[in-house]
Amino acid sequence: MTDESAQRMVLGDVEIVRVVEWQGPFAGTRELVPSAGEETWKDNEDWLAPDHWEPEGDRAVMSLQTWVLRSGGRTILVDTGVGNGRERPGSPQFHHWQGDFLGLLERAGVRPEDVDVVVNTHLHADHVGWNTRAAEGAEGAEGEWVPTFPHAQYLVPAADDAHFGPDNAYGGGLSEDDRLVYEDSVAPLHRAGRTVLWDGVHRIDEHLTLESAPGHTPGSAVLRLASGGERAVFVGDLLHSPVQILDPAHNSCFCLDAAAASVSRRRILERAADERELVVPAHFGGSGTAEVRREGSRFRLAGRDSSVRR
């Protein structure tokens, strides 16, 4: 059941709270999802606008948000946003970002010391920023970062840690921003002994399970929820826009391995449709969720008929 604001819902024995730090037009549609042509957006304007598309500027509408889960007596965060005061010279929208993330969490009833588990679906800048904060009396820009959630276990995909870490096991392709993100938002967790690296499948509790879904990044992951006959899947950045549900071959410009990302996206959507899992992407506007149904070899959103164009 979902409350009127769609900010809080309960699935089985798990309470879910959506904490939205920012929402609005983010990037040009062809920049964000290059293979989705102009007609895809225009032909679906009746439901893409205004929650997912700003037609006037032809920009995708997105959210910067964290999902708070209360499961088995523990508080779990799914991704942690951009973080304040970060050096991100290659990402102007995130460079020296200042938001009220901790205040929003507090208003949702969550203090930093209350958090038991932090899930990073992958290690891009807008998913790990509040993993850490500047140490008291220190300048974060000088590298004095400490875990924001002092009692939490941070679940980090091992493949992403290897890719973005100093050894760069996957070879090449790292930007200055990638290096900075790892140094200020991941490495301090290792130094504090708060990380758990995992691969393949990692069970958090009786309701929640992490599964690898590579492509967007080498370690990109989804979080599955199954409780009391209700199901959901938190898909991170496998989806940036609903047009990727209409055609899973559409990758975002941020996918590092396009072919693998498309395979993972289709696999996750197939299971979501077959098992009636609520799909919960990291950045959708509107309610932040989607119900997916099969339509032959393709997919549609629940409530949308076969006239939906791809």
Side-chain angles (χ1 to χ4, degrees):
M1 56 183 293
T2 308
D3 71 13
E4 291 184 359
S5 69
Q7 300 300 298
R8 187 182 302 265
M9 53 187 165
V10 176
L11 297 179
D13 293 325
V14 181
E15 180 188 22
I16 303 167
V17 181
R18 182 189 187 200
V19 176
V20 180
E21 186 172 6
W22 175 89
Q23 182 169 298
F26 178 76
T29 57
R30 251 70 75 213
E31 176 188 356
L32 181 67
V33 189
S35 61
E38 180 180 1
E39 68 282 355
T40 299
W41 299 85
K42 287 186 174 180
D43 290 347
N44 296 290
E45 179 177 357
D46 63 321
W47 63 273
L48 284 173
D51 289 341
H52 308 288
W53 182 40
E54 179 197 53
E56 296 77 11
D58 192 25
R59 292 193 295 170
V61 174
M62 300 173 65
S63 292
L64 183 62
Q65 59 201 1
T66 292
W67 297 89
V68 179
L69 280 57
R70 293 188 173 94
S71 174
R74 296 195 295 174
T75 298
I76 299 154
L77 302 187
V78 182
D79 292 325
T80 63
V82 173
N84 284 357
R86 308 299 164 121
E87 295 292 324
R88 302 288 184 259
S91 304
Q93 65 271 47
F94 298 149
H95 191 51
H96 294 169
W97 176 277
Q98 293 293 329
D100 187 29
F101 180 75
L102 294 183
L104 292 168
L105 273 185
E106 185 174 1
R107 290 191 284 280
V110 180
R111 301 170 303 167
E113 57 267 30
D114 297 333
V115 177
D116 300 291
V117 177
V118 174
V119 171
N120 291 149
T121 58
H122 61 291
L123 299 187
H124 277 163
D126 53 328
H127 294 258
V128 301
W130 275 106
N131 282 358
T132 60
R133 58 181 170 183
E136 186 175 353
E139 291 295 331
E142 296 179 3
E144 297 294 332
W145 301 96
V146 297
T148 300
F149 309 103
H151 307 310
Q153 178 186 76
Y154 289 76
L155 301 180
V156 174
D160 267 17
D161 193 73
H163 175 74
F164 292 103
D167 295 334
N168 190 16
Y170 287 77
L174 296 187
S175 67
E176 176 67 4
D177 277 22
D178 290 332
R179 182 185 65 78
L180 290 167
V181 169
Y182 192 89
E183 287 183 357
D184 64 41
S185 298
V186 182
L189 307 179
H190 290 312
R191 290 195 292 270
R194 306 307 305 177
T195 49
V196 171
L197 300 180
W198 68 276
D199 195 15
V201 176
H202 180 86
R203 192 164 186 82
I204 297 174
D205 63 22
E206 62 179 317
H207 307 301
L208 302 171
T209 305
L210 280 163
E211 296 180 11
S212 295
H216 181 69
T217 64
S220 183
V222 301
L223 175 66
R224 296 196 181 282
L225 183 159
S227 179
E230 299 192 85
R231 295 178 178 272
V233 56
F234 296 79
V235 301
D237 279 4
L238 275 184
L239 297 168
H240 279 83
S241 167
V243 300
Q244 296 173 278
I245 295 174
L246 304 183
D247 186 347
H250 292 322
N251 286 299
S252 80
C253 62
F254 303 111
C255 290
L256 299 184
D257 184 333
S262 292
V263 169
S264 289
R265 189 176 303 111
R266 176 169 291 279
R267 175 173 59 83
I268 298 304
L269 290 174
E270 285 175 347
R271 181 166 164 178
D274 292 345
E275 300 193 9
R276 291 297 194 262
E277 291 177 313
L278 181 68
V279 176
V280 189
H283 299 300
F284 272 22
S287 70
T289 65
E291 296 181 48
V292 177
R293 302 291 182 264
R294 280 186 186 264
E295 190 174 78
S297 62
R298 303 228 187 177
F299 304 93
R300 62 177 174 85
L301 277 71
R304 307 305 309 175
D305 61 27
S306 59
S307 65
V308 170
R309 299 291 299 277
R310 295 163 180 84

